[in-house]
Amino acid sequence: QRQLVESGGGLVQPGGSLRLSCAASGSIRGIDVMGWYRQAPGKQRELVSTISSAGRTKYGDSVKGRFTTARDNVKNTMYLQMNSLKPEDTAVYHCNAVGSFGSLWGQGTQVTVSS
């Protein structure tokens, strides 16, 4: 049984950086795809990034060139490095994992970008 726990959110000024972590309670080697999604109040959930078991990455247009995702199979953790943050990046960020077990979501971590 796997569980995902996000951490690293917080309040930052525009132009700042944050690094989010999604830690799995078990091995992530059996996970086909992991991803980050975000949702702001009054808005639909938005794809931020995905990373496959082979390390292939995909990014939403709004974060391309600013965010980078990676996975560490030893630490069983997925990361999201967020640079050049903008106020419109403010949202709750959730991690997701899809594999033979089905689909699993973390509880989310709040990111607020404000001056």
Side-chain angles (χ1 to χ4, degrees), residues 16 19 30 32 34 36 42 50 57-58 65 67 79-81 86 93 101-102:
R19 184 176 178 86
D32 296 324
M34 299 185 73
W36 291 95
T50 62
T57 57
K58 182 185 298 182
F67 292 9
Y79 302 97
L80 182 68
Q81 178 66 46
K86 305 174 181 179
Y93 285 69
F101 54 89

Side-chain angles (χ1 to χ4, degrees), residues 20-95:
L20 305 184
S21 298
C22 175
S25 59
S27 175
I28 64 172
R29 289 183 174 89
I31 300 175
D32 296 324
V33 179
M34 299 185 73
W36 291 95
Y37 296 79
R38 67 187 185 186
Q39 188 166 26
K43 296 183 178 180
Q44 294 182 328
R45 188 174 64 187
E46 177 186 23
L47 170 69
V48 177
S49 66
T50 62
I51 183 166
S52 71
S53 60
R56 295 187 63 184
T57 57
K58 182 185 298 182
Y59 298 94
D61 290 340
S62 63
V63 307
K64 184 74 175 181
R66 299 187 297 120
F67 292 9
T68 303
T69 190
R71 58 193 288 169
D72 187 327
N73 291 339
V74 175
K75 296 182 178 180
N76 295 324
T77 301
M78 176 182 64
Y79 302 97
L80 182 68
Q81 178 66 46
M82 305 185 295
N83 299 322
S84 301
L85 284 163
K86 305 174 181 179
E88 52 262 44
D89 294 319
T90 296
V92 177
Y93 285 69
H94 294 264
C95 65

